[in-house]
Amino acid sequence: MKLLHLAARNVLRNVRRSLITLASISLSLASLIFIWGFIDGINEQMIDNSTRYISGHIQVHQQGFHEDKALYKAMRDDPRMRARLAALPHVAAVAPRVEGKALLSGSDKSRGVMVVGVDPALEPAVTTIDRAVVAGRYLRPGDGDTIVLGDKTAAALGLGVGDQVVLITQAMDGSLGAGRYRVVGLFDSGIDVLDGSYVFLPLEAARELFVLWDRATAWVVRLEQRSRAEGMVRQMSAVLGPQYEVLDWPRLLPSMVQMVRFHEAVTYVVLLIVLVVVAIGVGNTILMAVMERTREFGVMMALGTSQAQIIAVVVAESLLLGLGGLLLGNALGVGVTGSLGETGLNLGQYTAAMETMPGLSGMVYPLVRWDHVALLSMLVFLISLIPPLYPAWRAARLAPVQAIRGLTGESARAPRSRASRSRLTGGGIFWKIAARGILRNPRRAVLTTGATAFGLAAFLFLYAFADGFFEQMIGNSTGYLTGDLQVERQGFRDELSPGLVITDPDVVLERLRSYPQVRAAAPRIKVQAMVSSPTATEPLLLHGVVPQLEQQVTVLQRALIAGEYLSGDLPRGMVVGSKLMNKLGLELGEKLVVTVQLADGSLGSAAYRVVGVFKTGNELFDGSLGLIGLAPAQALLGYGNGEVSTIAVALRDRGQVSEVVSGLRRSLADTSYEVQSWEQLLPVVVQMIDLTKLDFYVVLGVVFAVVAMGVMNTLLMSVLERTREFGVMMAMGTQPWQILRIVIYESVILGLAGIAAGILMGLLLVVYYQGQGMNLAAFADITEAIPGMTATVYPLLMPAHVWLPTLVLFLTGVLAALYPAARAARLEPVRAIRHV
Amino acid sequence: MSLVRIEGLSKRYRQNSIVVDALSGIDLHVGKGEFLSLVGPSGSGKTTLLNLIGGLDSPTMGHIWIGDQEIGRLSKSALSRLRLQRIGFIFQEYNLIPVLSALENVEYVMLLQGVSGHERRERALAVLREVGLEDLASRRPPQLSGGQQQRVAVARAIASRPSIVLADEPTANLDSVSGAALLDLMRGLNERHGVTFLFSTHDPMVMERARRIIQLHDGRIVADKPGMGGGQGYGP
Ligand SMILES: Nc1ncnc2c1ncn2[C@@H]1O[C@H](COP(=O)(O)OP(=O)(O)OP(=O)(O)O)[C@@H](O)[C@H]1O
Ligand SMILES: [Mg+2]
């Protein structure tokens, strides 16, 4: 008890020092709690919205349907069986559905969509898309051929409530199914995938379209609590028997679960870095606070205090400060996170990026998870307990007289007789005092420099990783698909409408080739289509190309794994992605049928033979891209000879794209053509870059705070320690601003050393992984779903991206020195001299 | 004319509710070339008086002139300049800037004064030779003994050619032999170069060497007499 009393006194004695320690513990903990809460919130929202709007918590299918969603595997919709499921405990509701893919056409445009046939009476008890209707109404019992669209789909096709649309699909029996429907409502869930590619029909209308009488592809189940899903799967399987498969949401939404896992993995890396930076920052502060007192421990030992008692006092003090920091940090972190969880955090400027992630909208509701808060609290508490043991243990082992003399480390060094032959010059003396002042306590300087260096290195590496990631996305996407820029008719991009053609491609090509920056240009036809094999129908992004020209702009030919590229000898040949081949169940050399909507709204179709298969390693390209010759494409779409839909351009250097685009725009201003840079052609890539930047700002913020804290603590302590010395200097006529200069110079030296070390560490990491490549195979499902990505990332350090944060980091350190410097300069000489 | 003139000087410290009159009604003149010792029991006000003369602290009442400048009227930075040009300080311990060598410590003040590099180096080496530390010029303070450190402090105090050197118990941390040596050194400088010294002490040995002794008690001057070191008293 006596000990605790003494510890409490010590804590209170140097209020400023205790406050610094307390603040560094509690602010660090609070920011960790917030970061984790922010990310938990995003993950929870992704899962919650995805299950709530579309998948439900559990789905029941005919055995084998999940593997291969062929319509003939739809089950009989047995109402008694459904009723038995609904009667099970914890089940809130069950609804039947018919789902399948189809091509949705408005007056002159079309796109592939997911058709969901729902029972208007039962569905709202299971999912909540009915509550997201923003125009018109949701489906009603008794509705006939009606349809509800997402707002993005409607906008893309230029549709509104009351308009007529056509759905075309391959029905269960292999026939071409088609139906005409009236749009009764539009929904806006804020989630891109839903709003842009899901449409809802009444159940009976969908059964008619797909020729699935009496059948359902799925029974969708909502539970009272999502967390019961796993247990309920076993119970339902037992009730239903082996001809059914019962799947909970993680199996229904594997790509979202992957996305959440990927995000969690990124989170752990970020948290780990932040934790280490915080550990160094907090540890440093506490370490210095104890080291500063070596003399005091010496006096205590001289008075007969035992080594064990000294360590015990320090531990008791750290306990008090650690507990205080824990309380404050939790109050602050949980308070801020919790209240933002109520109001939501509006990331308006990242909205577009967030909405492309499944289940996310622009509002983030951070989530306080007590298990995470407890884990963080424990870690930070440990971090605050361990560092003080070292100096206490060291001090306790010293002979009292050494301890009283203090641990300057200077007395141990050999005299350096030649060293001071160097001349003192006007400003030089202050640099000299500053530099040697830092070296006086090398351990402290190393700690501070280390914290700065580690934070910077972590930041540089993360940024290089991201730049490598983005470079690969951009490089592959432009190299395989888009080229660096494209010229097309105004408005063509929105829905690849076949009516918008370039009628004089030779004139445009002529103009393009007059630019020295242009390496190659190729005319193309580009259209959304459906492709069918005898067993399946899939959406297809069809390109009609001139093989010789196309191979100068894109390099898809390099990704061929079977057969050959298009050539004039094979007029009805087609090159197809490997994933799409699997989905269609086709082999090289087999035939497939392509169906498109023509400019006049009618359907056109033609058969081709697969002459080549490519595999880029990216899901999007391999799963939905197909190439045919330009002339066959013109024939399919009924274009005149020489009419194309776009011209893809490759530059000698992608960096010149904005220059070329603005020049071209001027030169094409008198035509109805527009120019799109790769940024406009690949909005998802740009959005992902934005989203990742958000994560970086969080890391950067923490690094800055920790560096500022570290530099300020170091200098504050070293200023307090040298109070008397500054007093003597002032007595000798040194002006306050000269003292200020010394302290600022010290921060400059510390900052430069930290930054140099940080850049070195960061560079070493980057260079190492540049040779190696970072293997993200564990997340392959996710990375491959991102346009242009494969599973190996090569980090790329772009000085243009990191010089500013580095500079700001340096200035942060110098700014943090202002307070201790001002304190030193404001010292009253008498007081300073009395201070020992 | 006196070098230092003090009239009706009082200093009152207030700490919480306790009021301490560290100095009350001090009148004192110090002439050029004096070697003067302040003595008195602990708490009698010696340090306070030296700090006030050096402009490190400001009086509650009364006036101090150094030459023709009244220091109560000076701004903070003017006081800094006054100390730089006219006053040398020596404290009981930790006098030196620990990161600078002995030579650099001596040069430091001249550097602030703007003395050019070559002259500065010459003068610093000359003064170090004077105090017998030429060989140790490149050592840093932690590598010097207490007595050597105080000699460097003396060297630094006189190198800038101040009008007066104020020393607060310069020998208190030294053994008697080093203390005596330090005093002989200061006395020698006083005699050879006419440097004015005003120092405080408890040490009878110091009193032996002083030429004039001012005795303080409870913040008042109770005696002003010639020391055993020769010279004559200087009455108020
Ligand atoms: N900053 C201060 N605050 C309050 N009281 C002070 C302060 N400085 C000095 N005193 C008081 O003023 C009185 C004179 O102190 P001073 O330090 O001048 O004595 P001194 O003669 O130098 O003593 P010593 O021989 O012990 O050094 C003492 O009673 C002291 O307690
Ligand atoms: Mg004193």
Side-chain angles (χ1 to χ4, degrees):
Chain A
M1 210 59 250
K2 197 82 190 255
L3 197 71
L4 206 61
H5 186 70
L6 185 62
R9 281 273 186 93
N10 275 334
V11 167
L12 290 178
R13 192 191 48 179
N14 194 329
V15 178
R16 184 171 295 105
R17 187 172 60 202
S18 299
L19 281 181
I20 291 175
T21 312
L22 209 60
S24 72
I25 297 174
S26 56
L27 287 179
S28 306
L29 180 57
S31 51
L32 286 171
I33 289 177
F34 175 76
I35 294 175
W36 212 344
F38 181 81
I39 287 162
D40 280 341
I42 288 184
N43 290 341
E44 169 63 24
Q45 253 171 290
M46 277 165 75
I47 297 170
D48 187 56
N49 285 340
S50 298
T51 56
R52 208 154 50 85
Y53 279 131
I54 192 71
S55 76
H57 296 150
I58 290 179
Q59 287 190 12
V60 177
H61 309 141
Q62 179 87 359
Q63 192 61 257
F65 179 81
H66 188 65
E67 269 300 301
D68 169 17
K69 295 197 173 57
L71 291 176
Y72 68 85
K73 288 190 181 160
M75 61 194 171
R76 211 167 65 76
D77 183 22
D78 181 348
R80 274 171 315 154
M81 208 52 143
R82 251 199 285 137
R84 277 180 68 189
L85 289 183
L88 288 174
H90 309 303
V91 172
V94 181
R97 269 195 201 160
V98 166
E99 294 181 20
K101 289 176 185 162
L103 190 70
L104 172 74
S105 307
S107 50
D108 64 341
K109 303 174 195 171
S110 48
R111 65 158 46 187
V113 292
M114 188 71 190
V115 176
V116 185
V118 298
D119 182 330
L122 295 177
E123 185 70 18
V126 176
T127 57
T128 58
I129 207 81
D130 58 307
R131 268 161 258 175
V133 169
V134 290
R137 61 172 178 83
Y138 189 63
L139 302 170
R140 279 192 204 130
D143 272 353
D145 286 341
T146 51
I147 190 168
V148 173
L149 309 177
D151 60 342
K152 290 230 158 72
T153 311
L157 300 187
L159 294 169
V161 174
D163 287 344
Q164 297 282 332
V165 298
V166 172
L167 284 172
I168 300 151
T169 188
Q170 192 181 35
M172 195 264 273
D173 54 10
S175 67
L176 198 67
R180 183 172 284 276
Y181 306 86
R182 191 166 52 86
V183 178
V184 294
L186 305 179
F187 65 86
D188 175 12
S189 64
I191 301 165
D192 257 16
V193 197
L194 285 183
D195 299 344
S197 58
Y198 274 65
V199 303
F200 293 85
L201 292 185
L203 189 60
E204 291 311 317
R207 282 175 170 159
E208 194 178 334
L209 175 68
F210 292 110
V211 195
L212 278 176
W213 308 111
D214 300 329
R215 305 247 214 147
T217 55
W219 291 331
V220 182
V221 180
R222 189 166 70 83
L223 302 175
E224 281 154 3
Q225 287 143 346
R226 193 179 74 214
S227 54
R228 290 197 184 274
E230 213 181 319
M232 289 307 294
V233 165
R234 274 191 300 275
Q235 234 175 307
M236 290 185 168
S237 303
V239 170
L240 290 166
Q243 69 270 39
Y244 294 95
E245 63 185 14
V246 183
L247 305 170
D248 55 1
W249 60 268
R251 293 191 54 196
L252 291 170
L253 302 165
S255 69
M256 195 206 48
V257 171
Q258 290 273 0
M259 184 79 102
V260 168
R261 285 228 195 91
F262 181 67
H263 199 219
E264 272 177 349
V266 172
T267 311
Y268 293 143
V269 173
V270 169
L271 271 180
L272 191 73
I273 289 172
V274 171
L275 201 68
V276 173
V277 173
V278 163
I280 293 177
V282 172
N284 201 2
T285 307
I286 298 174
L287 196 61
M288 288 194 287
V290 177
M291 283 202 300
E292 187 186 53
R293 289 164 52 197
T294 304
R295 252 178 95 130
E296 174 186 329
F297 297 140
V299 173
M300 283 171 70
M301 282 191 286
L303 297 176
T305 315
S306 77
Q307 299 180 0
Q309 280 168 326
I310 285 188
I311 293 179
V313 170
V314 172
V315 169
E317 283 177 41
S318 317
L319 267 171
L320 285 176
L321 287 172
L323 282 175
L326 225 58
L327 282 178
L328 272 176
N330 269 309
L332 196 66
V334 172
V336 168
T337 312
S339 73
L340 282 175
E342 291 291 315
T343 58
L345 198 60
N346 192 349
L347 299 175
Q349 93 190 87
Y350 299 101
T351 308
M354 310 277 294
E355 284 177 359
T356 53
M357 314 259 286
L360 278 192
S361 64
M363 287 297 274
V364 172
Y365 298 86
L367 182 72
V368 176
R369 272 185 57 176
W370 292 105
D371 52 339
H372 291 170
V373 171
L375 181 64
L376 289 176
S377 300
M378 211 176 68
L379 285 173
V380 171
F381 189 58
L382 282 181
I383 289 171
S384 66
L385 281 193
I386 293 166
L389 291 181
Y390 172 68
W393 171 79
R394 255 180 74 93
R397 281 185 356 147
L398 286 173
V401 28
Q402 277 173 300
I404 289 172
R405 276 241 211 109
L407 285 171
T408 60
E410 185 99 18
S411 46
R413 214 172 295 150
R416 294 190 309 184
S417 48
R418 294 278 151 241
S420 50
R421 283 280 174 245
S422 64
R423 296 172 75 95
L424 292 178
T425 50
I429 185 76
F430 298 119
W431 281 108
K432 200 166 201 169
I433 294 178
R436 292 186 186 163
I438 288 172
L439 288 180
R440 192 144 52 142
N441 196 331
R443 193 172 299 113
R444 188 164 62 194
V446 165
L447 279 172
T448 309
T449 313
T452 312
F454 183 85
L456 182 63
F459 175 75
L460 290 182
F461 181 71
L462 275 179
Y463 220 128
F465 176 80
D467 274 335
F469 196 93
F470 298 146
E471 182 53 35
Q472 194 184 346
M473 275 166 75
I474 297 166
N476 284 347
S477 297
T478 56
Y480 285 137
L481 187 64
T482 64
D484 296 321
L485 62 92
Q486 293 187 6
V487 177
E488 51 208 21
R489 275 280 289 278
Q490 273 160 22
F492 177 77
R493 268 239 67 68
D494 300 337
E495 207 34 57
L496 307 187
S497 152
L500 297 173
V501 293
I502 297 177
T503 47
D504 51 354
D506 292 338
V507 179
V508 180
L509 281 169
E510 200 66 28
R511 278 203 212 178
L512 280 169
R513 288 181 184 134
S514 71
Y515 282 82
Q517 298 99 324
V518 169
R519 183 164 53 75
R524 278 186 190 170
I525 283 174
K526 184 162 63 177
V527 66
Q528 290 270 13
M530 293 296 285
V531 58
S532 305
S533 67
T535 55
T537 299
E538 288 292 330
L540 168 75
L541 181 63
L542 183 68
H543 280 185
V545 301
V546 180
Q548 306 89 310
L549 295 178
E550 185 63 30
Q551 289 179 68
Q552 294 168 19
V553 174
T554 55
V555 294
L556 206 56
Q557 67 273 13
R558 289 191 206 149
L560 281 181
I561 52 168
E564 54 192 307
Y565 199 67
L566 298 172
S567 70
D569 309 338
L570 301 162
R572 303 217 67 83
M574 183 166 174
V575 173
V576 183
S578 59
K579 284 245 163 80
L580 186 55
M581 289 293 280
N582 287 345
K583 286 195 250 174
L584 293 170
L586 284 178
E587 299 285 333
L588 187 72
E590 290 186 321
K591 271 191 171 177
L592 39 67
V593 175
V594 173
T595 309
V596 293
Q597 192 185 28
L598 306 181
D600 62 5
S602 66
L603 290 181
S605 68
Y608 303 90
R609 189 179 299 279
V610 180
V611 296
V613 177
F614 64 84
K615 183 175 184 185
T616 61
N618 182 260
E619 166 87 29
L620 247 57
F621 299 167
D622 299 346
S624 64
L625 196 59
L627 267 61
I628 59 176
L630 189 69
Q634 284 167 336
L636 176 66
L637 285 167
Y639 282 7
N641 196 9
E643 286 185 334
V644 301
S645 45
T646 186
I647 294 175
V649 178
L651 300 180
R652 292 182 202 287
D653 174 4
R654 199 193 310 131
Q656 298 169 321
V657 74
S658 54
E659 188 186 320
V660 177
V661 164
S662 55
L664 267 176
R665 282 202 180 127
R666 268 193 308 276
S667 121
L668 293 173
D670 54 338
T671 68
S672 58
Y673 302 140
E674 63 184 359
V675 186
Q676 312 266 1
S677 67
W678 64 266
E679 282 124 323
Q680 289 154 313
L681 297 169
L682 300 163
V684 185
V685 174
V686 176
Q687 286 162 4
M688 289 239 355
I689 294 176
D690 281 350
L691 187 66
T692 315
K693 277 189 184 151
L694 187 71
D695 278 349
F696 283 145
Y697 294 145
V698 173
V699 177
L700 202 60
V702 175
V703 169
F704 280 4
V706 170
V707 166
M709 209 165 71
V711 171
M712 186 157 103
N713 283 337
T714 306
L715 293 177
L716 198 57
M717 302 232 178
S718 87
V719 162
L720 291 176
E721 205 170 70
R722 285 182 297 170
T723 301
R724 192 188 148 89
E725 187 180 321
F726 288 138
V728 170
M729 285 170 73
M730 285 171 141
M732 289 172 350
T734 311
Q735 299 273 6
W737 59 267
Q738 290 171 320
I739 302 230
L740 191 99
R741 260 166 76 181
I742 291 176
V743 179
I744 301 274
Y745 287 171
E746 286 181 14
S747 77
V748 169
I749 295 170
L750 279 176
L752 285 179
I755 282 171
I759 289 178
L760 192 72
M761 269 163 65
L763 273 181
L764 285 177
L765 269 174
V766 171
V767 168
Y768 175 76
Y769 278 109
Q770 234 157 23
Q772 202 98 335
M774 292 186 75
N775 195 346
L776 303 181
F779 306 105
D781 290 0
I782 274 305
T783 51
E784 287 174 9
I786 298 167
M789 278 315 295
T790 60
T792 307
V793 172
Y794 297 88
L796 180 69
L797 196 63
M798 299 178 86
H801 290 172
V802 294
W803 70 267
L804 188 64
T806 307
L807 184 70
V808 174
L809 187 73
F810 174 69
L811 291 179
T812 307
V814 176
L815 275 182
L818 283 182
Y819 172 66
R823 265 185 67 85
R826 274 209 320 269
L827 284 173
E828 295 280 340
V830 232
R831 296 233 188 131
I833 289 162
R834 285 177 70 90
H835 184 103
V836 175
Chain B
M1 196 177 113
S2 316
L3 188 60
V4 179
R5 192 151 55 90
I6 297 172
E7 282 176 10
L9 187 69
S10 298
K11 178 69 185 178
R12 170 172 286 188
Y13 288 113
R14 240 178 259 276
Q15 223 163 21
N16 303 326
S17 54
I18 306 162
V19 172
V20 180
D21 281 309
L23 292 176
S24 24
I26 299 283
D27 296 300
L28 178 66
H29 290 232
V30 181
K32 196 165 162 41
E34 286 204 56
F35 198 66
L36 187 157
S37 171
L38 288 176
V39 301
S42 188
S44 57
K46 303 181 293 291
T47 299
T48 306
L49 181 57
L50 286 171
N51 285 346
L52 286 173
I53 296 171
L56 293 178
D57 205 354
S58 48
T60 313
M61 258 193 322
H63 306 275
I64 302 169
W65 286 267
I66 310 275
D68 51 5
Q69 275 182 305
E70 193 198 337
I71 63 173
R73 296 178 179 277
L74 298 178
S75 71
K76 255 190 154 173
S77 72
L79 270 177
S80 258
R81 270 195 302 279
L82 174 84
R83 284 199 296 271
L84 183 57
Q85 303 298 348
R86 312 200 55 177
I87 298 171
F89 268 105
I90 302 168
F91 301 101
Q92 186 176 329
E93 56 177 348
Y94 303 121
N95 267 303
L96 304 178
I97 301 174
V99 293
L100 298 182
S101 70
L103 182 67
E104 286 166 340
N105 261 287
V106 176
E107 278 189 72
Y108 178 77
V109 183
M110 288 189 277
L111 193 134
L112 293 182
Q113 286 176 331
V115 178
S116 72
H118 185 70
E119 184 191 348
R120 196 167 67 221
R121 171 73 41 119
E122 293 292 296
R123 267 165 63 182
L125 282 171
V127 180
L128 279 176
R129 197 174 308 127
E130 191 103 48
V131 301
L133 286 178
E134 210 185 353
D135 298 340
L136 305 181
S138 62
R139 289 215 194 161
R140 297 214 195 147
Q143 298 153 358
L144 295 170
S145 75
Q148 288 164 340
Q149 285 185 35
Q150 289 301 73
R151 281 159 179 252
V152 176
V154 171
R156 186 182 63 187
I158 61 166
S160 58
R161 301 189 176 145
S163 314
I164 185 167
V165 176
L166 303 173
D168 192 6
E169 308 199 29
T171 59
N173 272 20
L174 304 180
D175 63 82
S176 56
V177 178
S178 323
L182 187 76
L183 279 170
D184 289 339
L185 171 71
M186 288 173 18
R187 178 69 193 257
L189 289 166
N190 172 261
E191 281 168 359
R192 269 176 281 134
H193 303 291
V195 185
T196 312
F197 280 92
L198 174 52
F199 51 91
S200 72
T201 190
H202 288 293
D203 193 346
M205 180 179 73
V206 180
M207 295 183 231
E208 271 171 30
R209 286 168 167 80
R211 287 202 278 183
R212 176 181 169 197
I213 295 176
I214 307 280
Q215 191 156 9
L216 286 177
H217 195 85
D218 282 346
R220 288 169 204 284
I221 296 179
V222 293
D224 184 349
K225 58 192 182 198
M228 282 159 272
Q232 72 276 16
Y234 193 98

